[in-house]
Amino acid sequence: MKTITITPVRQLVSLFIAALSLGALLQLTPAVAAAIAPPGAPVAGMIDHVDHIVVTASDPQATIHFYTEVMGMHLEQFGEGRVAFTFGNQKINMHVRGHEIEPKAHLPVPGSLDLCVIASVPLDQVIAHLKAVNWPLVDGPVARTGARGPIRSVYLRDPDLNLIEISEYVQK
């Protein structure tokens, strides 16, 4: 049997390589982490952002008016008669009660949405617009906490009584 002698230099090189490997493992990108994770293991940070949500409307024309004229979103028609309201990099798809697209929420009912959006203009300008189009506020402006810190918000309801919060981030 042959004996292998580990010299201090070889030991030092082995420790250095192990340290580099450990450093690389600690700096994994989400894609690499997902590739080496056991099947079915949760991956931290695997969701990036919301693409769209769905609002169920009882009166499609009133809903279109609210989201385009009151909220200032853009009307998008797609597919076979489908309607969405686009803003920023997101959209709100509209389902009509009783004619929802499958698959759908377990109980898709008008008035069950509670949504907060961040305004692209100062909140005072939003408030002035809402007054100009004679749309009543439920509450606000009030201080709240958003996903990324303190926000200033106003609340209103769409035609199906969904609660819509329009906010701006407060400078710290």
Side-chain angles (χ1 to χ4, degrees):
M1 180 186 265
K2 189 172 183 180
T3 305
I4 300 175
T5 306
I6 299 179
T7 65
V9 171
R10 277 192 178 167
Q11 192 175 18
L12 185 60
V13 168
S14 295
L15 288 172
F16 180 71
I17 290 171
L20 285 177
S21 298
L22 180 60
L25 284 173
L26 294 175
Q27 296 179 8
L28 292 178
T29 64
V32 172
I36 65 171
V43 179
M46 74 178 195
I47 303 300
D48 183 53
H49 63 275
V50 173
D51 180 77
H52 71 277
I53 61 168
V54 177
V55 63
T56 302
S58 59
D59 182 341
Q61 291 308 313
T63 301
I64 289 170
H65 170 79
F66 175 79
Y67 286 97
T68 58
E69 301 302 318
V70 177
M71 295 292 290
M73 297 178 183
H74 301 285
L75 180 64
E76 175 188 312
Q77 296 183 343
F78 66 102
E80 296 180 23
R82 305 256 337 250
V83 171
F85 311 105
T86 62
F87 60 102
N89 293 320
Q90 295 79 227
K91 69 177 183 171
I92 298 174
N93 288 347
M94 183 179 71
H95 285 183
V96 177
R97 183 179 194 175
H99 302 282
E100 296 86 0
I101 306 299
E102 294 290 343
K104 62 182 182 282
H106 177 68
L107 296 171
V109 294
S112 62
L113 184 66
D114 187 338
L115 176 67
C116 177
V117 294
I118 303 299
S120 60
V121 299
L123 193 60
D124 290 336
Q125 191 173 335
V126 170
I127 295 167
H129 168 72
L130 294 172
K131 285 181 182 176
V133 296
N134 201 28
W135 204 269
L137 293 180
V138 172
D139 195 13
V142 293
R144 296 288 189 253
T145 301
R148 297 185 177 198
I151 55 176
R152 184 172 163 248
S153 303
V154 294
Y155 292 86
L156 58 149
R157 294 199 182 273
D158 78 358
D160 285 304
L161 303 178
N162 291 299
L163 184 64
I164 309 297
E165 178 182 359
I166 306 174
S167 306
E168 67 181 356
Y169 278 97
V170 177
Q171 301 297 324
K172 294 180 183 179

